[in-house]
Amino acid sequence: MASQILCVPDLERLLEKDPYLAPYKQDFERRYGIFYHILKNIEDNEGGLDKFTKSYLTFGVNRFIDGGLYCKEWAPGAEAVFLTGDFNNWNPFSHPYKKMDFGKWELFIPPGPDGFNPVPHGSKLKVVIRSQSGEVLYRISPWARYVVRELASVNYDWVHWEPPISYRQRHPVPKKPKSLRIYESHVGIASPEGKIASYKNFTHNVLPKVKDLGYNCIQMMAVMEHAYYASFGYQITSFFAASSRYGTPDDLKELIDVAHSMGIVVLLDVVHSHASKNSEDGLNKFDGTDAGFFHSGPRGTHALWDSRLFDYSSWEVLRFLLSNLRWWIEEYGFDGFRFDGVSSMIYHHHGIGETFSGDYNEYFGMHVDEDALAYLTMANYMLHFLHPESITIAEEVSGMPALCYPVKEGGMGFDYRMAMAISDKWIQIIKELKDEDWDMGNIVFTLTNRRYGEKCVAYAECHDQALVGDKTLAFRLMDAEMYTNMSVLSPFTPVIDRGIQLHKMIRLITHALGGEAYLNFMGNEFGHPEWLDFPRKGNNESYHYARRQFHLADDQLLRYRFLNKFDRDMNKLEERFGWLSSPPAYVTEKHESDKVIAFERANLLFVFNFNPSKSYTDYRVGTEIPGKYKIVLDSDAPDYGGHNRLDHNTEFFTQKYPHNYRDHSVLVYIPSRVALVFQNMDIQN
């Protein structure tokens, strides 16, 4: 896109919050200029943002009021374009498209003799492309809304989806939660059975669990259609199609609607960072050329992911991707998106081989793909302008400044960014350090080290740690003993005892100190005993590890239920007090030799004793607000697999005794390996 220096309306606000960005003022102005240039072109030449981002109403195959079909494609490298399918007995050339300007092609098919749609619901279609070399190619429309793969087939088929009666939303959409507690989910593995689970299964069996656990948001992975199941949804072939391996589009609409009835918002894990290299049933070489939606040559291929990379400077790519976001919100009812692979998008090096030290020069310069920045800024602007309640989250590892600042301040407009360093820190600590060597200051620094004014999604682990080749926290802590010593009928072994206590502590301190939202991957809340591995050649196409064993948490004879109940009560406590939507915590204690961390947030006092063997009586903890304190969450409670060393009826009174820069303090008993939350009973919440 042509760039120009343009005054950013409220840039000074950003520079006041982070003066270190002042030398890069011109970079922000140029980036804003690229975004504004796109927006103005849309307004001047495309009939406005609303019309431009609803291009799915004209592209692909759409029905006219009179019953006829209007078909439109962008295939700039094609010599000729045709539509074929069941409707014309697969005659490849009987329905030619008319060539338009700017590489577009259109076709109108009049209604049938009975006045009805000439292409019946459920019939198969193909776009036929005659390339400039004369080759005839059969393709699926990039705008296809439903694709299926029959058992014996390698490739997907495009199915015209226009049921006589489509699912209609029955329940109002919940308000955007102030505190976002996210249950990261994959529909296909959401069952104990060794098979691909369905949208229906998720609706009837998983949504009640999510509600009971206290999560108010689901982040759905692997929904956009992908040919290879084991890619975890990261090799998209059809961007407008909900994966048919789990059921029909109506099944997904019902899932989202029922979630809304429970007060749960639903986010889509959207993959606009790259696309599958498939050409038979993907976007690659749609018009017979190496370009089209992607950069041509080496720039158009991701070296590590073996996938194609979008050309974000292309007008039609912007139309396609922005309309894609709009489609998932307005057709299915999604409430927002987690954008995958943002770091790969915004740098020409895609983050490959980069460590990102935090030096600001890493975020500005020729290595930054400012066209990708402009697309993401445009996406956030469009979503928040047309759907103010929508939520956007960036998976971004480099620490790009202003990612979550408003567009008018020079930011990219995301609501949240993933706090990706936290999970890495927990892995490093558990993997490399003895318990007595844990560094309290380093833990606190990692959990609180986030850019001022930018909201973060904290998580101790996500799906990445659950995948085969990595290990979940529970597996790292307890390993093989999870198979032999999780029964309540057997005595606590040192390994299981340590694992259960630390699992709870790690998740609570991450939840309460690490950000403004919290995320958990399905099953990890109860310490799922096995990793996640999709059927593939390397495991003889087995589904044994591509499932979640939810029944383990319901078994009263297994210790998984303790972790499950703690996770639920932790979320319920946050729902009651709202620490995620409160200002960041004030840390009053990070004692290295005692291994104690204490902090205040949302009128609660959190105390963690990571010491593996020492308990402390009359341990002094600083507090700002005087009063009577009582325990409201205790990881040592027997319901959570603890040792029941505390009396919850005990009242703790503050003293006018300054401690650690707080005006008051309180003396508490903190057993070893315990997390405690105290409420000031003199404050109404």
Side-chain angles (χ1 to χ4, degrees), residues 43 280 328:
E43 297 294 342
E280 295 285 339
W328 290 107

mmCIF file of all heavy atoms in Angstrom, residues 43 280 328:
data_model
loop_
_atom_site.group_PDB
_atom_site.id
_atom_site.type_symbol
_atom_site.label_atom_id
_atom_site.label_comp_id
_atom_site.label_asym_id
_atom_site.label_seq_id
_atom_site.Cartn_x
_atom_site.Cartn_y
_atom_site.Cartn_z
ATOM 1 N N GLU A 43 -13.860 3.768 1.767
ATOM 2 C CA GLU A 43 -14.990 4.699 1.826
ATOM 3 C C GLU A 43 -15.248 5.351 0.470
ATOM 4 O O GLU A 43 -16.393 5.521 0.058
ATOM 5 C CB GLU A 43 -14.722 5.783 2.887
ATOM 6 C CG GLU A 43 -14.590 5.258 4.311
ATOM 7 C CD GLU A 43 -15.881 4.670 4.850
ATOM 8 O OE1 GLU A 43 -16.956 4.944 4.294
ATOM 9 O OE2 GLU A 43 -15.816 3.907 5.835
ATOM 10 N N GLU A 280 -5.918 -28.391 -4.651
ATOM 11 C CA GLU A 280 -7.157 -29.066 -5.055
ATOM 12 C C GLU A 280 -8.341 -28.607 -4.203
ATOM 13 O O GLU A 280 -9.458 -28.465 -4.699
ATOM 14 C CB GLU A 280 -6.995 -30.582 -4.935
ATOM 15 C CG GLU A 280 -5.976 -31.187 -5.883
ATOM 16 C CD GLU A 280 -6.468 -31.262 -7.313
ATOM 17 O OE1 GLU A 280 -7.693 -31.233 -7.506
ATOM 18 O OE2 GLU A 280 -5.631 -31.336 -8.236
ATOM 19 N N TRP A 328 -17.887 -14.753 10.261
ATOM 20 C CA TRP A 328 -17.956 -15.607 11.445
ATOM 21 C C TRP A 328 -18.771 -14.954 12.560
ATOM 22 O O TRP A 328 -19.438 -15.647 13.336
ATOM 23 C CB TRP A 328 -16.553 -15.955 11.927
ATOM 24 C CG TRP A 328 -15.848 -16.890 10.990
ATOM 25 C CD1 TRP A 328 -14.824 -16.601 10.148
ATOM 26 C CD2 TRP A 328 -16.139 -18.285 10.794
ATOM 27 N NE1 TRP A 328 -14.447 -17.714 9.425
ATOM 28 C CE2 TRP A 328 -15.242 -18.763 9.806
ATOM 29 C CE3 TRP A 328 -17.062 -19.163 11.337
ATOM 30 C CZ2 TRP A 328 -15.256 -20.089 9.375
ATOM 31 C CZ3 TRP A 328 -17.072 -20.486 10.911
ATOM 32 C CH2 TRP A 328 -16.176 -20.930 9.941
#
